[in-house]
């Protein structure tokens, strides 16, 4: 399926035997989609994100420890992992997938420009990466990415000097410098104030709409899914309980899916705001 960017098939994941976090999860995300992944705390969102990115191996067995060789994750048509084993192609695949975390993962003492250049580590010699030696062309590439997310004026500041929202935008710029075809974001706005959160989501939406980059973003508040993503996948206790249009996620419907847990998924008022139209500057 050449039009599929991410395929998750019959995936189980446990950290303690007999207590699965993901339970036979299957889903597909097409090229160029921007899809929200929602769920209350403990639903398995981060675990699913990390297994899709190849950072966690899936279980090699299904329910009750029975062998299940069908469990697999494929990225851009190539196996990232299968039957509990990370594939040989995983390293190459990771160079095509940008991963954005709630924690910004910048090196505080290094410049923002250098941090963004680290997106090239998989493409340059290890010794240059270790010493932080980048060519003029590579730095220009990083500057273009910083311009794209609107913080090029902060390129020579230390990472620690940026606000949380600016650090997250630098993390996105790092993925752009990497040349990512897919962005997988694990609650990238959870620690940001509403203004910064909207700016980060505006950037992700712009990269999706204008560059065709596939985006899978886990979100704790449904309103951001309503505003930015046409499709939402909802998890509850490790099971996909909804996969469809975000517009269907009314408070009443979420109450049916999550019960009392649905209250923590709403941030009243955001869904009334107009969707962004302009490319962020």
């Amino acid at each position: 399926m050449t039009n599929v960017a991410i395929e998750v098939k019959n995936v189980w994941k446990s950290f303690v035997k007999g207590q699965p976090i993901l339970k036979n999860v299957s889903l597909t995300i097409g090229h160029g989609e921007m899809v929200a992944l929602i769920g209350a705390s403990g639903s398995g969102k981060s675990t699913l994100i990390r297994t899709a990115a190849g950072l966690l191996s899936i279980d090699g067995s299904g329910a009750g420890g029975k062998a299940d060789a069908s469990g697999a994750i494929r990225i851009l048509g190539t196996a990232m992992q299968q039957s509990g084993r990370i594939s040989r192609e995983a390293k190459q695949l990771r160079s095509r997938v940008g991963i954005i975390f709630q924690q910004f993962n910048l090196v505080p003492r290094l410049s923002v420009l250098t941090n963004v250049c680290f997106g090239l580590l998989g493409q340059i010699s290890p010794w240059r990466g270790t010493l932080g030696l980048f060519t003029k062309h590579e730095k220009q590439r990083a500057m273009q990415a910083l311009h794209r997310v609107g913080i090029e004026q902060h390129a020579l500041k230390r990472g620690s000097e940026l606000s949380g929202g600016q650090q997250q935008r630098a993390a996105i710029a790092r993925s752009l410098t990497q040349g990512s075809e897919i962005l997988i974001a694990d609650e990238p706005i959870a620690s940001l104030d509403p203004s910064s959160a909207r700016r980060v989501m505006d950037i992700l939406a712009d990269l999706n709409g204008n560059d065709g980059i596939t985006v899978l973003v886990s979100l704790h508040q449904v309103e951001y899914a309503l505003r930015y993503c046409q499709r939402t996948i909802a998890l509850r206790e490790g099971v996909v309980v909804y996969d469809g249009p975000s517009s269907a996620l009314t408070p009443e419907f979420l109450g049916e899916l999550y019960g009392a847990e649905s209250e923590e998924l709403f941030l009243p008022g955001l869904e009334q705001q107009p969707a962004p139209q302009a490319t962020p500057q």
Side-chain angles (χ1 to χ4, degrees), residues 81-186:
Q81 53 177 308
Q82 185 167 350
S83 303
R85 295 184 178 181
I86 304 291
S87 74
R88 295 179 180 178
E89 294 80 14
K91 182 177 180 181
Q92 180 181 359
L93 283 174
R94 289 191 190 106
S95 69
R96 304 171 71 184
V97 179
I99 307 169
I100 302 166
F101 298 101
Q102 180 179 344
Q103 298 78 23
F104 318 118
N105 293 336
L106 300 186
V107 181
R109 63 182 179 82
L110 297 181
S111 72
V112 174
L113 179 60
T114 298
N115 272 285
V116 172
C117 284
F118 284 156
L120 298 165
L121 289 182
Q123 304 169 37
I124 64 175
S125 62
W127 71 268
R128 281 211 295 129
T130 300
L131 296 175
L133 299 177
F134 301 98
T135 66
K136 181 178 179 180
H137 174 73
E138 289 163 350
K139 291 178 180 179
Q140 288 174 339
R141 183 171 164 181
M143 284 299 298
Q144 290 172 352
L146 285 168
H147 175 73
R148 186 68 185 275
V149 302
I151 56 170
E152 69 276 14
Q153 69 273 26
H154 302 301
L156 298 182
K157 290 183 179 179
R158 291 187 177 188
S160 59
E161 296 181 68
L162 300 189
S163 67
Q166 290 168 340
Q167 289 190 53
Q168 193 61 286
R169 287 151 69 184
I172 295 172
R174 183 174 55 203
S175 291
L176 288 178
T177 303
Q178 177 182 327
S180 304
E181 299 171 53
I182 298 173
L183 288 178
I184 298 179
D186 185 10

Side-chain angles (χ1 to χ4, degrees), residues 37 44-51 53 55 98-104 168 183-191 204 216-220:
L37 178 65
K45 298 192 305 297
S46 290
T47 301
L48 180 55
I49 287 282
R50 289 169 184 264
T51 55
L55 301 178
I99 307 169
I100 302 166
F101 298 101
Q102 180 179 344
Q103 298 78 23
F104 318 118
Q168 193 61 286
L183 288 178
I184 298 179
D186 185 10
E187 297 203 9
I189 60 174
S191 60
L204 292 178
L216 173 61
V217 53
S218 70
L219 300 166
H220 199 63

